[in-house]
Amino acid sequence: MLIQQQKIQLSSYSGLYDLIVPKDNLLRKINELIDFSFIYEELLNKYCSNNGRHAESPVRMFKYLLLKSIYTVSDVDVVERSRYDMSFKYFLEMTPEEEVINPSSLTKFRKLRLKDTDLLNLLIGKTVTIAIEKGIIKSKSIIVDATHTLSRSNPFSTIEVLRERSKLLRKAVYQFDEAFKSKMPSKNTDNDLTKELKYCKELEKAIENEPSISEIPSVKEKLNLLKELVEDTGEEMIFSKDTDAKTGHKSADSSFFGYKTHLAMSEERIITAAVVTSGEKGEGPELPKLLQMSRDNGMEIDTIIGDSAYSGKENLKIAKNQNIKVVARLNPSITPGFRKDEDRFDYNKDADRFVCPAGHLAIRKARGGTRNAGKNQVDTYYFDVEKCRVCPLKEGCYKDGAKSKTYSVSIKSELHQDQMAFQQSDYYKEKSKHRYKIEAKNSELKNVHGYQRATSYGIENMQMQGAMAIFAVNLKRILKLL
């Protein structure tokens, strides 16, 4: 049963907040900037209104998840810190003496309350609305790009991740007590997951039996991260594969296994739209969605700034019909011609190759025809027929027995004359200088808010992780510009 969250209750200790939490504290400024009641209204239908025990406020639970994203800590540690960190208590609207939640409640909240909620678009829309109301967003341009996030299960095996976590834990212990090495269990040297899990549990027990070591904050954080991974590995031993993640390519020779987050951002560095896809998806096809979502969130747009992945013919057509300029270098290979949507392959600008609907990258390309000879030249992309023969999507794409599988694209440069002329204009050159900003934003998401690796399995959890990380960076940017 859910009741509306109350403001900070009367307590004889509430005056401590004014003494301990300074006016310029980030969490105090976030609380003053935004009214979180929209979370309550969004999740109200996920609770029973007249049956069961009182549920923890969805606003407070959401704030716990936001704290996790801002400070990159585990469920256990964010709850533990809220027990003694007065800025956390103030942000969570708790009285100083109030008891904290059980960390397992956060898992239930994610799985039961946030399921089937378009949290990503909701949170981005809220921050964009605030930025517009505060007069922060003044430009009419969006900068577009995609950033990749590694799946939780890749590129390291479970054993490699366990060993890395246990190594970090041992290092933290040795910083305070070098002599503790004699009390450590013997390391597992076999490539056996069961033995490695056994070693990690023995390591946890050895450290927990020494409260003088295990209660040190830096040791405790590493210990909780290892315990969390051991528990998750136990649950996922049979179903460990991330079925939603796919292999994408950063170059013709470099790949990753995970997801892509396609972003649109204003020149003021406020993210205005985001779409999370599996890693093999191309960037160009997501532009219409980013454009529409940015507009739905309140943006006025007259210019799109991006790289060559966004200069496909369909994107140029859409932009021209809406009187929008596209500041993106042309690449003739991304013109898909007049194929049906289901027959189109996505162009990967990093690898300079096409990717088939099954996610396989072309192994090589060749150009045919003579330049300036009155006929269009053709780029032909060759795919690995061994993969095509066993592909579940081969019907209508690959003919059994064929010795090769190719995909050809005509280079229709005459269709791009207007765009080629635009690339020489002063406006194009000036606007293209803003593209670096989204690279910096990608770096912030990854290096500050843990977006380089997924924290859970599945695209829904990836969307939730993206929602919290983007919400955090947008709030921080708004506060900086106010």
Side-chain angles (χ1 to χ4, degrees):
M1 187 166 67
L2 181 64
I3 58 173
Q4 171 66 284
Q5 176 169 338
Q6 303 296 316
K7 293 295 180 182
I8 296 177
Q9 300 173 6
L10 292 178
S11 167
S12 56
Y13 303 107
S14 293
L16 290 171
Y17 289 133
D18 294 329
L19 297 173
I20 297 174
V21 185
K23 298 295 182 183
D24 61 352
N25 177 268
L26 174 64
L27 299 181
R28 180 186 280 274
K29 289 164 76 174
I30 290 176
N31 255 1
E32 293 171 352
L33 173 68
I34 186 169
D35 178 5
F36 285 92
S37 62
F38 74 97
I39 295 294
Y40 174 87
E41 295 163 4
E42 181 70 20
L43 301 180
L44 184 60
N45 63 347
K46 299 294 182 73
Y47 293 83
C48 179
S49 60
N50 56 12
N51 190 29
R53 65 180 183 178
H54 290 315
E56 193 66 49
S57 163
V59 174
R60 181 173 293 175
M61 299 299 285
F62 173 81
K63 285 184 173 183
Y64 266 115
L65 297 185
L66 182 56
L67 288 171
K68 271 177 60 71
S69 180
I70 294 174
Y71 295 98
T72 320
V73 291
S74 66
D75 290 355
V76 171
D77 287 316
V78 75
V79 173
E80 179 62 22
R81 189 165 168 182
S82 69
R83 188 187 304 277
Y84 60 80
D85 191 318
M86 294 297 279
S87 64
F88 274 39
K89 283 181 175 289
Y90 177 82
F91 182 66
L92 295 167
E93 299 183 276
M94 300 167 61
T95 58
E97 71 273 22
E98 192 172 347
E99 278 298 313
V100 298
I101 63 170
N102 188 299
S104 64
S105 300
L106 291 174
T107 301
K108 295 292 185 183
F109 181 70
R110 281 191 292 263
K111 291 182 176 179
L112 300 180
R113 310 306 182 192
L114 297 182
K115 187 179 180 182
D116 302 324
T117 302
D118 188 8
L119 192 66
L120 182 61
N121 199 40
L122 173 71
L123 297 182
I124 292 175
K126 185 67 176 179
T127 51
V128 172
T129 299
I130 292 173
I132 292 173
E133 289 175 350
K134 300 287 186 182
I136 292 172
I137 295 180
K138 298 175 182 177
S139 66
K140 295 184 179 180
S141 303
I142 56 170
I143 311 167
V144 290
D145 196 18
T147 187
H148 71 275
T149 302
L150 299 176
S151 167
R152 182 173 180 173
S153 62
N154 198 72
F156 304 109
S157 67
T158 305
I159 288 180
E160 289 173 321
V161 179
L162 285 168
R163 284 176 176 167
E164 180 64 21
R165 290 276 176 91
S166 61
K167 176 183 174 182
L168 293 174
L169 176 57
R170 291 195 302 271
K171 279 188 173 182
V173 171
Y174 298 154
Q175 284 180 347
F176 296 95
D177 187 357
E178 187 74 24
F180 201 81
K181 285 183 179 181
S182 61
K183 300 180 182 179
M184 291 290 192
S186 299
K187 295 180 187 177
N188 168 48
T189 56
D190 297 332
N191 194 30
D192 187 314
L193 178 59
T194 303
K195 290 182 179 179
E196 190 64 33
L197 284 170
K198 182 181 178 182
Y199 165 73
C200 289
K201 290 177 181 177
E202 290 173 354
L203 179 63
E204 292 170 11
K205 187 174 181 181
I207 295 173
E208 286 177 333
N209 287 339
E210 294 287 342
S212 61
I213 295 293
S214 62
E215 292 301 318
I216 297 172
S218 61
V219 174
K220 195 171 186 178
E221 283 186 8
K222 301 295 187 299
L223 177 62
N224 286 333
L225 285 171
L226 178 61
K227 290 172 70 175
E228 195 172 83
L229 180 60
V230 169
E231 291 171 4
D232 289 348
T233 302
E235 293 174 3
E236 298 287 343
M237 272 182 112
I238 299 175
F239 307 101
S240 61
K241 187 177 178 181
D242 192 342
T243 55
D244 290 337
K246 295 290 185 293
T247 300
H249 299 272
K250 294 182 281 186
S251 70
D253 304 316
S254 175
S255 63
F256 69 94
F257 181 74
Y259 301 92
K260 275 186 181 178
T261 302
H262 306 264
L263 299 172
M265 184 182 78
S266 72
E267 290 183 15
E268 294 80 11
R269 308 194 193 200
I270 302 294
I271 295 174
T272 60
V275 177
V276 177
T277 66
S278 49
E280 88 287 5
K281 296 296 185 183
E283 296 161 27
E286 302 302 323
L287 179 60
K289 296 179 190 174
L290 295 173
L291 176 61
Q292 188 57 51
M293 292 168 70
S294 294
R295 281 183 159 163
D296 291 344
N297 287 333
M299 280 287 293
E300 293 182 31
I301 301 167
D302 63 13
T303 305
I304 297 169
I305 305 169
D307 56 33
S308 59
Y310 298 96
S311 61
K313 188 177 72 174
E314 292 303 315
N315 287 341
L316 293 177
K317 277 184 177 180
I318 291 170
K320 184 176 181 180
N321 291 338
Q322 299 183 32
N323 198 28
I324 296 174
K325 295 180 176 65
V326 178
V327 179
R329 286 209 167 274
L330 280 174
N331 189 317
S333 294
I334 61 178
T335 304
F338 297 97
R339 293 180 173 90
K340 297 177 182 177
D341 287 344
E342 59 270 24
D343 295 332
R344 288 183 182 169
F345 288 28
D346 286 336
Y347 177 71
N348 185 304
K349 63 96 175 37
D350 296 317
D352 189 27
R353 298 282 195 278
F354 271 91
V355 180
C356 77
H360 302 305
L361 187 75
I363 55 177
R364 68 183 181 93
K365 78 169 184 176
R367 178 163 294 182
T370 305
R371 189 175 182 182
N372 300 324
K375 292 185 178 180
N376 292 324
Q377 288 182 285
V378 174
D379 276 349
T380 302
Y381 295 81
Y382 293 82
F383 290 82
D384 186 347
V385 291
E386 296 302 323
K387 293 179 180 178
C388 296
R389 285 172 185 152
V390 295
C391 179
L393 304 178
K394 70 177 182 179
E395 186 175 349
C397 180
Y398 172 76
K399 186 177 180 180
D400 286 334
K403 295 182 180 180
S404 64
K405 169 59 187 175
T406 62
Y407 184 82
S408 299
V409 181
S410 296
I411 304 173
K412 301 182 174 76
S413 59
E414 67 272 13
L415 298 178
H416 298 112
Q417 292 301 318
D418 290 344
Q419 183 69 9
M420 291 173 69
F422 175 56
Q423 286 180 189
Q424 306 304 316
S425 68
D426 292 338
Y427 184 84
Y428 178 96
K429 293 174 182 177
E430 179 61 32
K431 285 294 182 180
S432 63
K433 294 177 182 178
H434 293 279
R435 212 190 79 77
Y436 79 92
K437 294 177 179 178
I438 200 162
E439 299 289 353
K441 186 64 65 175
N442 290 340
S443 177
E444 180 185 0
L445 285 168
K446 289 184 174 183
N447 297 321
V448 180
H449 297 281
Y451 208 60
Q452 70 272 27
R453 183 177 292 278
T455 55
S456 300
Y457 294 97
I459 198 165
E460 285 189 1
N461 288 318
M462 188 68 241
Q463 290 169 338
M464 192 183 306
Q465 183 180 346
M468 301 309 299
I470 293 170
F471 189 58
V473 297
N474 271 2
L475 287 177
K476 287 164 64 179
R477 183 63 183 170
I478 290 170
L479 289 170
K480 185 174 182 178
L481 296 178
L482 282 176

